[in-house]
Amino acid sequence: MSECHLPDVLIVADRARLAQVLDNVFGNARKYAAPPVRVAGALEDDLLTVQITDHGPGVPEGELALVTQRHYRAANAAGVQGQGLGLHTAYTLMDAMGGALVVANAADGFSVALTLACAERQHDPRRHAFRTI
């Protein structure tokens, strides 16, 4: 990883599951792309979005909506060992924590956006939608 810019904030998440999500996303970047991997964060409405962008070929546009499905592997993953579980597992865990995982092609690679609630505003009703698993 060459760049990392994240706001200093507490989030609502299951620590072990969030580590698994990040391991899966960075593992995919390592398998299918080249350095650098950029990590940036933004706060909006008490939500933290972490954008992880690799420097690789991306995913064919017609397959973007499919890469978070169980056992789906994009056509350009042929020849690379895997079972199509990494992004699916990450997507499922983010959903279970009340967060979101969104994939997109970037100008120079592939991007995964992870969104989680901030823990700093106890009275925020959205906080109760975010849970640990």
Side-chain angles (χ1 to χ4, degrees):
M1 177 170 38
S2 63
E3 299 177 37
C4 184
H5 306 285
L6 293 173
D8 188 16
V9 65
L10 293 174
I11 57 172
V12 178
D14 180 302
R15 182 183 309 212
R17 299 301 166 239
L18 183 57
Q20 187 175 359
V21 167
L22 293 170
D23 186 53
N24 287 359
V25 172
F26 284 111
N28 275 2
R30 185 175 47 250
K31 279 171 68 170
Y32 301 109
V37 175
R38 295 182 310 279
V39 179
L43 283 172
E44 185 175 333
D45 296 331
D46 297 323
L47 297 173
L48 172 68
T49 299
V50 177
Q51 191 87 26
I52 302 164
T53 307
D54 65 36
H55 190 75
V59 173
E61 285 296 323
E63 298 181 61
L64 273 174
L66 303 173
V67 295
T68 57
Q69 292 182 9
R70 186 180 187 105
H71 296 296
Y72 188 85
R73 300 189 73 220
N76 61 352
V80 179
Q81 187 176 7
Q83 297 177 352
L85 294 174
L87 283 178
H88 168 72
T89 301
Y91 180 88
T92 301
L93 291 173
M94 288 300 295
D95 183 62
M97 289 185 288
L101 180 148
V102 177
V103 298
N105 284 318
D108 59 350
F110 182 72
S111 179
V112 177
L114 308 173
T115 302
L116 290 159
C118 295
E120 296 175 344
R121 292 189 52 186
Q122 297 288 336
H123 67 280
D124 189 337
R126 289 173 298 180
R127 185 174 190 275
H128 300 290
F130 290 75
R131 61 201 180 277
T132 58
I133 53 173

